[in-house]
Amino acid sequence: MVSMKDIAKKAGVSIATVSYALNGSTKITEATAEKILAIAKDLNYVPNAAARSLKKRETKIIGIFFIPDYSGGFFGQILQGIYDALRNTEYELIVCNGKNSHRFLPEQVIDGAIVLDVGFTDEELIKNADLGHKIVVLDRELEHPNINQILLDNKAGATLAIDYLLEEGHRKLYIVRGSEDAYDANQRLLAVRQAIEQYKRYYNIEYKEIEGDFDKPSGTRAAEIIVEEYTEPCAVFSLNDNMAIGMYDYLANTKYRIGEHIHIIGFDNIELSRYVTPSLATIDYSKRKWGALAAENLLKLIAKEPVKNEQIYTSLIKGMSVQKR
């Protein structure tokens, strides 16, 4: 790799003079600068980005850390929101995944991080924040001057789902849980349990939880259990749409019809859920806004501007997958 030392030797000047020329400094004459730039071009000189970032203490790059499976409409919309927010700035985005990428913060490969990744422990994030690194978290509650949180109102969304099922007359309920270590899953499940306890004062509710992992196979397994136990119409709150779609896939090959025998509501309103039949009732929120706010707040942290924690609100989308009992 060609270095500034090589350019300086060929131009007969000091390395400092080469640096002035490459950085557009007015400390040298225009003629000298043109000569050095011509030599640099002739030698195919490429600046060492790592060295420059160490000197300036910035890279103009932020990282988004996702959980291992970041495919599909859910993460795509969050990414689109981040891109929208960065479009007219100097900053660019890299998507990070896996334990090795965690070193990007302490090694200053990136200027800040947006985190939606249970692989990052709270202790690790606090340690990075203590060192001055700027972080926005989407999946946990952490109080630190260098950490901003933008959380989805999971509890309100889950309560909306339970309210809807009971208002439609359903009293036999199944809940398909999410990943045990996921903040969103635990918040939704907590809200479900609280709502059920409240409603039990007024209604005779039959309630059962089924293990899930936020993926389609979890929904398939849940549907299989429900079919095996089936004695009468029932309602299911799947804690995300992916598992609900897994249920659709399994039930399509049985005699049980969604919206008649088994009533289903999901959570997330992913794009795929809009094309299933019957239409899936679900809990909606703006994933693009979530991503955009995360990027905007991270840039404020980096610029040492005031920033406050934010919340993303939810709403109910009714669908033919839930009918009156």
Side-chain angles (χ1 to χ4, degrees):
M1 180 180 290
V2 176
S3 68
M4 286 197 293
K5 184 177 180 180
D6 299 319
I7 299 171
K9 184 177 180 180
K10 186 167 184 178
V13 297
S14 68
I15 294 175
T17 301
V18 173
S19 178
Y20 290 147
L22 296 176
N23 288 288
S25 173
T26 57
K27 292 183 179 180
I28 59 175
T29 66
E30 186 175 337
T32 300
E34 288 178 357
K35 175 184 175 183
I36 292 170
L37 290 174
I39 291 171
K41 183 178 180 181
D42 184 57
L43 294 177
N44 294 316
Y45 170 74
V46 177
N48 186 322
R52 290 180 66 185
S53 67
L54 282 173
K55 184 176 180 180
K56 294 185 177 182
R57 302 187 67 82
E58 63 178 13
T59 64
K60 295 299 181 183
I61 298 172
I62 65 173
I64 169 74
F65 291 81
F66 276 145
I67 57 178
D69 179 14
Y70 52 82
S71 60
F74 174 80
F75 294 107
Q77 286 293 302
I78 291 177
L79 279 174
Q80 189 58 58
I82 296 173
Y83 286 133
D84 290 345
L86 297 180
R87 184 173 291 122
N88 296 317
T89 74
E90 297 179 279
Y91 285 84
E92 296 185 8
L93 178 73
I94 58 172
V95 177
C96 312
N97 174 247
K99 194 69 177 177
N100 285 336
S101 67
H102 290 195
R103 61 185 174 83
F104 290 174
L105 264 176
E107 293 183 7
Q108 296 180 270
V109 175
I110 56 178
D111 292 342
I114 298 169
V115 177
L116 182 56
D117 180 3
V118 294
F120 257 115
T121 65
D122 290 354
E123 293 75 19
E124 188 177 5
L125 291 173
I126 292 293
K127 182 179 179 180
N128 276 300
D130 284 342
L131 294 172
H133 302 299
K134 312 303 183 184
I135 302 165
V136 172
V137 292
L138 309 184
D139 61 352
R140 69 197 75 200
E141 298 175 60
L142 289 177
E143 296 296 333
H144 193 286
N146 289 325
I147 299 177
N148 175 249
Q149 57 190 40
I150 304 178
L151 303 178
L152 178 63
D153 196 351
N154 290 286
K155 288 184 176 181
T159 302
L160 279 174
I162 296 300
D163 288 347
Y164 179 49
L165 293 178
L166 292 170
E167 286 167 4
E168 294 301 292
H170 298 282
R171 300 294 180 262
K172 183 173 183 178
L173 306 181
Y174 286 92
I175 308 300
V176 186
R177 301 195 303 253
S179 309
E180 285 187 2
D181 55 358
Y183 173 85
D184 290 342
N186 290 325
Q187 290 292 299
R188 293 171 198 177
L189 186 58
L190 177 62
V192 166
R193 290 171 176 171
Q194 291 173 340
I196 294 297
E197 285 304 310
Q198 291 289 329
Y199 276 113
K200 277 184 176 179
R201 300 177 183 178
Y202 312 104
Y203 304 116
N204 182 23
I205 298 174
E206 186 178 342
Y207 166 80
K208 179 176 180 177
E209 295 177 8
I210 300 175
E211 184 179 347
D213 199 24
F214 273 169
D215 56 12
K216 286 177 66 178
S218 297
T220 299
R221 290 191 297 271
E224 186 176 6
I225 291 169
I226 292 167
V227 165
E228 287 175 356
E229 298 180 354
Y230 189 88
T231 57
E232 61 180 316
C234 60
V236 185
F237 176 26
S238 169
L239 294 194
N240 81 345
D241 286 356
N242 271 338
M243 296 188 296
I245 291 169
M247 297 183 68
Y248 269 69
D249 289 347
Y250 181 84
L251 293 171
N253 297 312
T254 71
K255 64 180 181 181
Y256 299 100
R257 289 186 291 277
I258 296 170
E260 181 179 345
H261 303 102
I262 300 173
H263 303 254
I264 303 173
I265 183 169
F267 199 120
D268 286 336
N269 191 29
I270 62 173
E271 185 174 3
L272 182 59
S273 69
R274 301 169 203 172
Y275 301 104
V276 296
T277 304
S279 57
L280 177 65
T282 188
I283 301 300
D284 187 36
Y285 53 93
S286 176
K287 289 164 278 295
R288 287 181 74 152
K289 181 180 179 181
W290 202 5
L293 271 175
E296 290 167 4
N297 282 13
L298 181 56
L299 295 189
K300 288 178 182 177
L301 279 176
I302 293 170
K304 295 182 172 58
E305 296 176 2
V307 63
K308 64 179 181 178
N309 293 334
E310 306 273 3
Q311 192 168 55
I312 302 298
Y313 296 102
T314 57
S315 62
L316 170 68
I317 293 183
K318 297 181 179 181
M320 298 302 290
S321 63
V322 175
Q323 298 292 313
K324 283 192 178 294
R325 177 78 166 88

